[in-house]
């Protein structure tokens, strides 16, 4: 059995969420063939063997340097055929999700997104998915011969230790109709830790009183190597950019540690953070509902507590 | 221009989620149903385009008669007519097939929907419909402007956004801040009662998955409170108990 894994990259480097996808595929068992598109460092691709890939395909056509959904779908469907893959695994990312939907139709596969653990295959092929924005799970049987699984963060543990593998060029058939959508420009926060991938997230709410106080949170985030998020009112008031909004209609995060400062904890915010392993809530209102969802809580003034916390973390680093 | 807006009929975001019948059915008892919040953004943008560019807006839902109040709300917000495919929306492939069949019949220029439903969070239907119809599919779209046949969009990516251009016809999965949500006014509510709502039977029964059961996450333990004067204790706990530092 062959499993194809769509590997995403940014600035030539393979994304961590894609390493989880490889680990997930290796967990199912069989031959794990990774495919990368566009410009990616060859050394990065060779190293995928260390994470569980048995073979790596690289479609290096420079038109694929940008993540055009239609073109990517076409390449990945062709790669599934090429390697005879029955299963395709990928991270449920902003590119992976829309691509996987098109591939499912092209290759007539069952598709499940937000899958949180390895499939159960003792009778049928059953996957567990996160639904109701993290408030529940469902078990679904994927009934078609081919299956596509878009995994949620932390669905598999990345393991290192295998040998590097050789990278084979892959030349798909592409035509102009695959590129009718053009990516004109990309605006991306540079040097920051991406929220959906962060192991630690620090978020601020209205309790921070204004964008001018975000330096405090930035310092705390820096001391922890954390991604920076915010509540919906904060992005609505344009204190912070929209891509930092964590919640039901914003980014859903799944870090090991989530620190919420000055966020009351509306149910819509909780929906974006309920996959976090540990939650710390700092709020001056002891009645803030967020404390009920927290593992650790401090009642007090964020402007006092945050600098002390930052210092204490720096001291133990 | 003809715009199709696909809407879901889902429990509102504040609903308590629980299941019945040995965890095989969602417990809708006491639950308030709404237009999916992402679909609501798509609908609001469609109504804006109708006002600025002149367009007809059709709302489409796959669901049973219980969806009708939600569909009437979409009509009150500004959709001109509506279609309900009379079937339980059993999985994303099933729903995509229904939408594609309706779209093929009526030839829409622009097909909008939310980036995902907030019940099953699949986020797959727009891409499937795009592929079935041979149209581009873009998601998640946070801005959408029309310039003749060219559609200029901003698509959210991890840590930022990209500016994307494509041609009509296309399918877009929408999210905020593509438009401001609209609250229906009295005139809208009155006129919605008489706007056409066609009920059609499903054109395909194909599915890619079968739902087996539901589960709730384990209950969260009690919160441990730490004195504001003693943040060092928090750092200790995070390091030695939680082991996350």
């Amino acid at each position: 059995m062959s499993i194809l894994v769509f590997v995403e990259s940014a600035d030539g480097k393979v994304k961590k969420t894609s390493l989880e996808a490889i680990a997930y595929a290796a967990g199912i068992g069989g031959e794990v063939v990774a495919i990368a598109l566009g410009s990616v460092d060859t050394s990065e691709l060779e190293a995928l063997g260390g994470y569980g890939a048995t073979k790596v395909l690289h479609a290096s056509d420079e038109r694929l340097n940008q993540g055009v959904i239609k073109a990517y779908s076409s390449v990945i469907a062709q790669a599934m055929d090429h390697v005879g893959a029955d299963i395709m695994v990928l991270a449920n990312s902003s590119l992976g999700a829309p691509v996987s939907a098109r591939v499912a139709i092209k290759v007539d596969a069952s598709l499940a997104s937000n899958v949180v653990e390895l499939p159960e295959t003792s009778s049928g092929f059953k996957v567990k998915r996160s639904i109701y924005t993290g408030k529940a799970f469902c078990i679904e049987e994927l009934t078609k011969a081919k299956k596509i699984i878009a995994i949620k963060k932390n669905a598999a543990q990345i393991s290192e230790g295998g040998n590097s593998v050789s990278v084979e060029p892959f030349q798909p058939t592409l035509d102009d109709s695959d590129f009718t959508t053009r990516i004109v420009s990309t605006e991306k926060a540079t040097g920051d830790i991406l929220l959906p991938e962060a192991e630690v997230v620090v978020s601020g709410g209205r309790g921070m009183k204004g964008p001018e106080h975000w330096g405090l949170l930035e310092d705390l985030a820096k001391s922890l190597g954390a991604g920076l998020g915010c509540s919906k009112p904060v992005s609505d008031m344009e204190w912070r950019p929209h891509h930092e909004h964590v919640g039901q209609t914003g980014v859903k995060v799944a870090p090991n540690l989530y620190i919420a400062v000055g966020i009351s904890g509306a149910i819509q915010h909780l929906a974006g953070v309920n996959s976090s392993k540990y939650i710390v809530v700092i709020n001056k209102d002891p009645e803030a509902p967020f404390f009920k969802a927290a593992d650790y809580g401090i009642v007090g003034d964020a402007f006092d507590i945050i600098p002390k916390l930052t210092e204490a973390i720096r001291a133990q680093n | 221009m003809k715009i199709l807006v696909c809407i879901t009929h889902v429990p509102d975001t504040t609903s308590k989620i629980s299941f019945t019948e040995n965890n095989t059915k969602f417990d809708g008892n006491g639950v308030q149903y709404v237009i999916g919040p992402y679909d609501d953004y798509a609908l609001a943008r469609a109504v804006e385009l109708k006002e600025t560019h002149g367009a007809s807006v059709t709302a489409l839902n796959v669901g049973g008669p219980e969806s009708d109040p939600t569909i009437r709300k979409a009509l009150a917000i500004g959709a001109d007519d509506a279609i309900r495919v009379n079937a339980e929306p059993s999985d994303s492939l099933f729903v995509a097939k229904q939408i594609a069949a309706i779209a093929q019949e009526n030839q829409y220029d622009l097909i909008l929907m939310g980036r995902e439903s907030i019940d099953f969070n699949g986020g797959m239907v727009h891409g499937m419909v795009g592929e079935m119809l041979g149209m581009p599919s873009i998601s998640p779209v946070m801005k959408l402007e029309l310039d003749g046949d060219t559609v200029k969009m901003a698509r959210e990516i991890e840590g930022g956004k990209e500016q994307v251009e494509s041609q009509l016809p296309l399918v877009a999965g929408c999210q905020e801040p593509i438009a401001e949500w609209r609250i229906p006014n009295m005139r809208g509510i009155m006129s919605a009662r008489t706007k056409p709502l066609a009920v059609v039977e499903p054109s395909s029964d194909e599915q890619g998955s079968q739902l087996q059961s539901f589960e709730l996450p384990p209950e969260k333990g009690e919160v441990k409170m730490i004195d504001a004067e003693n943040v060092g204790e928090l750092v200790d706990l995070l390091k030695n108990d939680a082991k996350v530092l």
Side-chain angles (χ1 to χ4, degrees):
Chain A
M1 185 177 65
S2 276
I3 304 175
L4 186 74
V5 179
F6 167 42
V7 167
E8 284 187 73
S9 61
D11 307 319
K13 307 278 175 241
V14 169
K15 287 192 174 183
K16 199 175 151 244
T17 47
S18 294
L19 299 180
E20 286 182 355
I22 290 175
Y24 186 95
I28 299 175
E31 192 196 19
V32 177
V33 182
I35 180 162
L37 284 71
S39 164
V40 194
D41 300 349
T42 306
S43 61
E44 283 276 308
L45 296 180
E46 285 167 348
L48 294 179
Y51 296 96
T54 43
K55 192 165 132 184
V56 179
L57 302 177
H58 186 198
S60 59
D61 189 317
E62 63 178 25
R63 289 176 294 175
L64 300 169
N65 286 352
Q66 291 186 315
V68 177
I69 293 164
K70 210 166 165 228
Y72 268 47
S73 316
S74 168
V75 174
I76 291 165
Q78 290 177 51
M80 277 186 81
D81 271 354
H82 177 77
V83 301
D86 308 313
I87 300 177
M88 202 267 281
V89 178
L90 76 171
N92 197 39
S93 64
S94 68
L95 183 60
V99 165
S100 63
R102 297 192 75 110
V103 177
I105 301 305
K106 281 182 192 288
V107 304
D108 190 25
S110 289
L111 169 59
S113 60
N114 288 319
V115 172
V116 295
E117 35 185 74
L118 283 171
E120 172 58 57
T121 53
S122 54
S123 72
F125 190 104
K126 292 171 188 162
V127 292
K128 183 172 175 179
R129 298 180 49 210
S130 168
I131 57 170
Y132 290 103
T133 324
K135 286 184 269 190
F137 300 97
C138 71
I139 311 287
E140 271 177 20
E141 179 169 0
L142 304 186
T143 47
K144 290 184 180 271
K146 290 181 186 167
K147 284 117 184 145
I148 298 180
I149 302 172
I151 60 166
K152 195 172 159 142
K153 185 173 175 286
N154 294 337
Q157 281 292 324
I158 296 170
S159 68
E160 284 175 84
N163 297 319
S164 68
V165 285
S166 63
V167 178
E168 278 178 32
F170 179 64
Q171 271 151 346
T173 312
L174 287 164
D175 63 62
D176 291 345
S177 72
D178 290 318
F179 295 96
T180 51
T181 300
R182 284 194 322 120
I183 297 170
V184 182
S185 64
T186 304
E187 301 150 44
K188 213 167 164 180
T190 50
D192 290 353
I193 291 158
L194 295 179
L195 263 187
E197 294 163 21
E199 297 299 344
V200 181
V201 172
V202 172
S203 275
R206 257 183 303 198
M208 291 305 293
K209 296 200 164 77
E212 66 277 18
H213 299 126
W214 241 257
L216 288 176
L217 296 181
E218 280 164 4
D219 287 347
L220 176 60
K222 216 173 274 169
S223 75
L224 289 160
L228 201 56
C230 66
S231 66
K232 187 171 191 302
V234 165
S235 81
D236 283 351
M237 290 183 290
E238 295 181 358
W239 293 1
R240 299 299 300 175
H242 184 265
H243 66 257
E244 291 184 6
H245 161 205
V246 172
Q248 174 106 39
T249 57
V251 181
K252 283 90 182 168
V253 296
N256 289 327
L257 174 61
Y258 186 79
I259 302 180
V261 184
I263 301 177
S264 63
I267 194 164
Q268 292 88 347
H269 185 77
L270 298 184
V273 307
N274 52 20
S275 302
S276 309
K277 278 198 194 125
Y278 286 90
I279 295 178
V280 173
V281 169
I282 298 168
N283 205 298
K284 71 176 197 304
D285 175 10
E287 301 299 319
F290 214 154
F291 285 118
K292 288 201 176 70
D295 298 282
Y296 303 108
I298 301 182
V299 176
D301 183 353
F303 298 107
D304 273 351
I305 294 168
I306 298 307
K308 284 187 200 157
L309 183 58
T310 306
E311 205 173 301
I313 286 162
R314 279 196 189 127
Q316 69 86 45
N317 277 350
Chain B
M1 187 170 67
K2 290 173 74 173
I3 305 177
L4 180 68
V5 182
C6 309
I7 60 169
T8 54
H9 165 79
V10 290
D12 106 55
T13 55
T14 60
S15 304
K16 183 165 165 39
I17 305 300
S18 57
F19 304 102
T20 58
E21 295 182 29
N22 201 17
N23 282 328
T24 56
K25 243 191 154 69
F26 177 73
D27 183 1
N29 223 335
V31 167
Q32 177 86 29
Y33 282 83
V34 294
I35 300 177
Y38 295 115
D39 310 325
D40 223 351
Y41 285 116
L43 176 65
R45 187 63 191 131
V47 173
E48 284 177 5
L49 290 172
K50 170 177 146 177
E51 288 165 0
T52 53
H53 290 69
S56 68
V57 176
T58 300
L60 171 62
N61 169 262
V62 179
E66 67 280 2
S67 290
D68 285 348
T70 300
I71 299 170
R72 288 285 171 206
K73 192 180 167 205
L75 292 168
I77 286 170
D80 300 295
D81 58 359
I83 302 167
R84 177 167 63 79
V85 178
N86 188 28
E88 186 159 331
S90 43
D91 82 342
S92 41
L93 180 62
F94 178 85
V95 172
K97 287 255 170 190
Q98 313 311 323
I99 296 171
I102 301 272
Q104 217 129 36
E105 195 180 316
N106 298 313
Q107 299 290 317
Y108 300 97
D109 303 289
L110 186 59
I111 302 175
L112 302 180
M113 64 189 82
R115 60 173 290 176
E116 64 187 52
S117 68
I118 63 158
D119 49 5
F120 281 81
N121 305 118
M124 295 297 158
V125 172
H126 35 74
M128 289 178 164
V129 170
E131 183 63 33
M132 287 169 184
L133 298 172
M135 293 180 189
S137 57
I138 322 289
S139 178
V141 174
M142 51 199 299
K143 198 188 98 194
L144 185 149
E145 302 289 344
L146 290 178
D147 182 1
D149 272 353
T150 302
V151 190
K152 297 180 174 177
M153 289 161 283
R155 189 177 87 88
E156 187 156 72
I157 55 174
E158 285 79 12
K161 58 186 167 185
E162 57 190 21
Q163 304 295 334
V164 180
E165 278 185 25
S166 198
Q167 304 293 314
L168 293 174
L170 64 79
V171 184
C174 303
Q175 70 167 38
E176 65 186 12
I178 195 165
E180 292 270 342
W181 277 336
R182 297 208 166 199
I183 296 157
N185 58 28
M186 194 41 81
R187 217 179 78 202
I189 294 165
M190 298 300 285
S191 68
R193 290 181 190 166
T194 54
K195 285 180 179 173
L197 193 176
V199 177
V200 300
E201 292 305 311
S203 51
S204 155
D205 61 2
E206 188 181 350
Q207 287 181 223
S209 61
Q210 293 289 338
L211 185 67
Q212 307 287 312
S213 60
F214 295 105
E215 276 176 32
L216 289 172
E219 289 280 333
K220 197 95 189 168
E222 192 80 346
V223 56
K224 177 161 180 44
M225 298 306 292
I226 293 146
D227 194 282
E229 295 304 317
N230 196 8
V231 293
E233 190 192 343
L234 175 63
V235 177
D236 271 357
L237 287 166
L238 292 176
K239 192 173 180 184
N240 301 317
D241 279 16
K243 298 187 174 26
V244 288
L245 290 187

